[in-house]
Amino acid sequence: MAIERTLSIIKPNAVAKDAIGAILSRFEAAGLRIVAARMLHLSREQACAFYAIHQGKPFFDELVDFMISGPVMVQALEGEDAVAKNRDIMGATNPANAAPGTIRADFADSFTENAAHGSDAADTAEVEIAFFFPEGVCPRTR
Ligand code: RTP
Ligand code: MG
């Protein structure tokens, strides 16, 4: 299995409930190492650009309003099979379907306010990491 990177966002509802540490601990415990991180409050323009793929979908406006409702904590994670591993740890998009013990089962408040984002493929991960970390990341050698 190759070493991959993925882009993770702790969304505003999870930041508001002080779950940053708990969520990052789950990634580290699973072998997903933090190679970049920043806290920011997205502008509407940033949120629309980041979620451009979803423009026109019925949930788009609600998603953008939510994502700009408070600060988010963005990380690039690195590890074996990072994209799939991160999505396993997050659980299903709709928290009603998220397996017990997943981030969304434990920290989501609704389908929209589902606590975390994770890239859906290695190629989109590279684009999403460059979106938030244009200066690059710090690969972990130890
Ligand atoms: P994400 O991109 O946030 O990691 O989530 P995902 O791949 O599991 O889901 P995606 O289809 O990319 O949807 C992006 C985010 O939009 C919100 N959403 N709401 N109410 C709805 O029907 C609905 N569908 C999607 C969620 O916040 C979802 O994570
Ligand atoms: Mg997605």
Side-chain angles (χ1 to χ4, degrees):
M1 203 62 75
I3 298 289
E4 259 178 5
R5 290 182 196 148
T6 194
L7 192 278
S8 164
I9 304 177
I10 301 177
K11 294 183 178 182
N13 70 310
V15 172
K17 60 179 83 172
D18 297 312
I20 294 173
I23 290 172
L24 294 182
S25 291
R26 293 181 186 203
F27 296 147
E28 291 189 323
L32 294 176
R33 310 181 86 186
I34 298 160
V35 293
R38 63 185 283 218
M39 188 103 184
L40 77 164
H41 194 139
L42 291 170
S43 67
R44 184 170 294 278
E45 291 68 27
Q46 283 175 307
C48 286
F50 182 76
Y51 278 119
I53 187 95
H54 294 309
Q55 220 143 14
K57 294 182 185 173
F59 61 82
F60 181 75
D61 289 348
E62 187 180 333
L63 174 61
V64 169
D65 285 344
F66 164 55
M67 290 300 291
I68 67 174
S69 66
V72 297
M73 209 279 177
V74 187
Q75 325 98 57
L77 304 175
E78 184 176 271
E80 281 194 9
D81 211 9
V83 171
K85 191 180 279 186
N86 176 48
R87 290 182 74 88
D88 282 350
I89 296 167
M90 284 197 300
T93 307
N94 182 348
N97 302 324
T102 59
I103 288 169
R104 283 164 168 168
D106 291 343
F107 300 113
D109 292 296
S110 68
F111 202 154
T112 299
E113 301 195 12
N114 62 359
H117 162 85
S119 306
D120 60 12
D123 56 348
T124 49
E126 289 309 312
V127 174
E128 291 181 357
I129 289 170
F131 183 92
F132 284 109
F133 303 105
E135 72 280 18
V137 305
C138 297
R140 296 286 291 269
T141 54
R142 52 183 292 164

